[in-house]
Amino acid sequence: MAVKKFIPYAPVGSDWSDKERLKRVSDHFEFMNRRRSLREFSSEPVDRSIIEYIIRTAGTAPSGAHKQPWSFCAVSDPAIKSEIRKQAEEEEYENYHGRMSDEWLHDLEVFDTDWHKPFLEEAPWLIVIFKKAYDIDKEGKKKNYYVNESVGIAVGMLISAIHHAGLVALTHTPSPMNFLSDILSRPENERPFLLMPVGYPAQNAQVPDLKRKSVEEIAQFYG
Ligand code: IYR
């Protein structure tokens, strides 16, 4: 039997008034609503300590049975970035020349994307997120639970921490992306989940003119 050990929860904000709470939550919404995915990065360096804190924040995410089934590989080495770009572009070339359906290509028109991925070299950091399908210890394989949900939540928190730092990112999923395991020499139990260039926006960077769904469109209240 595992030992059950509980400690007191240290509550946050128990002394806030409703007014204060509403102000905080609406300010936070306005702040998060300014986040955009970018494809144009400045090559200005970002301190490793900033990236470390962003990853620490992602590591506070909840996970199935608290297994924390994630691994964040932060790459700033130009030779590794260049190899990642080369192999990602090889896959993306195939995607844009036959592997993606006409409907998919049509849906991507507003983003003006193609198989070229210069941001994979221009951004000062690439954070490659791996999910751990299972863990391995001295006794052998150990099960992880709700791995996609857990890693998805952690990446959401990573994105939010990147925005909080005044940096920008792109959630990029070259497909297939097994090449990332080889380039970064990841163990057999880790599978690539997302590739995220992180840095400052390029000067005069542009983003597509997208609209977000309203709360009425995304929420249903019962009671
Ligand atoms: N992976 C390709 C295509 C692509 C797919 C989706 I879904 C996007 O939201 C954007 C792009 C690429 O990165 O170009």
Side-chain angles (χ1 to χ4, degrees):
M1 273 284 272
V3 185
K4 295 179 206 165
K5 182 166 180 281
F6 279 67
I7 54 170
Y9 169 61
V12 171
S14 45
D15 56 341
W16 297 338
S17 66
D18 276 1
K19 192 173 159 215
E20 206 174 342
R21 209 177 290 285
L22 188 59
K23 166 101 175 83
R24 289 181 69 98
V25 80
S26 60
D27 283 352
H28 188 61
F29 161 70
E30 298 295 347
F31 174 72
M32 291 306 293
N33 200 26
R34 290 181 60 184
R35 187 205 58 78
R36 294 300 310 260
S37 294
L38 261 82
R39 292 186 167 79
E40 296 172 71
F41 291 81
S42 150
S43 54
E44 190 182 339
V46 171
D47 269 5
R48 178 191 160 134
S49 55
I50 294 175
I51 300 297
E52 252 183 49
Y53 265 107
I54 286 168
I55 294 173
R56 285 165 81 151
T57 303
T60 68
S63 61
H66 192 53
K67 296 287 184 174
Q68 306 169 85
W70 42 64
S71 194
F72 300 88
C73 297
V75 181
S76 64
D77 181 323
I80 304 177
K81 287 197 292 182
S82 159
E83 188 57 28
I84 290 177
R85 175 182 178 181
K86 182 171 154 270
Q87 297 199 37
E89 286 186 335
E90 279 170 20
E91 294 298 353
E92 294 291 12
Y93 183 89
E94 295 304 325
N95 291 335
Y96 281 90
H97 293 86
R99 284 205 298 226
M100 291 193 292
S101 65
D102 287 345
E103 182 183 2
W104 195 348
L105 290 170
H106 173 77
D107 282 341
L108 292 181
E109 274 167 18
V110 290
F111 304 100
D112 201 23
T113 54
D114 63 22
W115 62 273
H116 296 96
K117 303 297 169 195
F119 52 76
L120 294 176
E121 284 186 286
E122 286 161 3
W125 291 95
L126 301 179
I127 303 183
V128 191
I129 301 104
F130 288 85
K131 62 177 183 185
K132 293 186 171 180
Y134 54 90
D135 269 318
I136 310 169
D137 69 10
K138 306 177 280 308
E139 293 146 27
K141 284 189 182 183
K142 289 282 155 67
K143 254 187 94 55
N144 286 335
Y145 309 92
Y146 298 98
V147 170
N148 286 320
E149 290 84 347
S150 303
V151 182
I153 294 167
V155 169
M157 295 176 69
L158 186 84
I159 292 170
S160 163
I162 290 166
H163 184 57
H164 194 74
L167 300 173
V168 294
L170 178 71
T171 37
H172 182 45
T173 50
S175 170
M177 50 180 169
N178 329 349
F179 67 88
L180 293 167
S181 307
D182 297 333
I183 296 176
L184 301 173
S185 311
R186 300 316 300 162
E188 212 295 303
N189 63 322
E190 291 188 16
R191 313 281 152 77
F193 187 79
L194 258 179
L195 170 51
M196 192 167 285
V198 180
Y200 295 100
Q203 265 197 353
N204 307 317
Q206 294 212 314
V207 291
D209 185 15
L210 306 175
K211 298 280 171 282
R212 294 191 163 122
K213 289 181 181 174
S214 67
V215 70
E216 290 77 16
E217 289 170 289
I218 63 171
Q220 288 80 36
F221 288 84
Y222 299 80

